[in-house]
Amino acid sequence: QVQLVESGGGSVQAGGSLRLSCAASGFTFSSYYMGWFRQAPGKEREGVAAIMSGSSTIYADSVKCRFTISQDNAANVLYLQMNSLKAEEGGMYYCAADTFIFTSRRLRPDQYKYWGQGTQVTVSS
């Protein structure tokens, strides 16, 4: 069955960097649509970045030029490199997967069927 396991979260000061990883198994990783999502306490889950086939990427406007989503198809791992982190970007970060998602909907959490358990990111100001 599909399994997604996130890691790499932690505590960092504002302006710092973190790299999140999502180990995938149980499906053909290279052919799935993948995404990273964030949920802060008391807020709705929101899309951060999405990728397909290792090259088709999309980002939330708020993270463009600071975050980079990538995937290693040989290792079945999804990454999110986060630079210049802001205090308001703390929360639980989840990776998600599905077989097909229209381009215009790839940052919508309701479009993804499979989810990991999340990894916590804390950004202190």
Side-chain angles (χ1 to χ4, degrees):
Q1 71 276 20
V2 173
Q3 283 195 316
L4 301 168
V5 180
E6 301 93 335
S7 61
S11 296
V12 64
Q13 287 192 328
S17 299
L18 279 175
R19 188 175 81 155
L20 307 182
S21 300
C22 172
S25 61
F27 64 103
T28 307
F29 179 67
S30 60
S31 63
Y32 269 54
Y33 288 73
M34 304 294 299
W36 282 102
F37 296 82
R38 171 175 67 220
Q39 187 165 20
K43 295 189 176 181
E44 291 187 355
R45 194 170 298 187
E46 60 180 352
V48 175
I51 190 169
M52 171 54 188
S53 296
S55 59
S56 176
T57 59
I58 187 170
Y59 295 91
D61 288 344
S62 62
V63 306
K64 283 180 181 176
C65 300
R66 296 186 297 117
F67 288 16
T68 303
I69 187 171
S70 62
Q71 62 185 104
D72 182 339
N73 290 333
N76 285 2
V77 180
L78 178 73
Y79 299 102
L80 183 68
Q81 177 67 45
M82 305 185 293
N83 299 328
S84 302
L85 279 159
K86 303 177 180 180
E88 60 267 30
E89 293 175 328
M92 191 69 80
Y93 281 71
Y94 300 90
C95 70
D98 211 322
T99 54
F100 176 78
I101 301 174
F102 289 106
T103 300
S104 61
R105 301 177 186 176
R106 284 164 57 191
L107 291 180
R108 287 177 47 177
D110 63 353
Q111 299 296 297
Y112 290 79
K113 180 177 181 180
Y114 304 103
W115 290 86
Q117 83 291 345
T119 186
Q120 182 70 41
V121 172
T122 303
V123 185
S124 57
S125 57

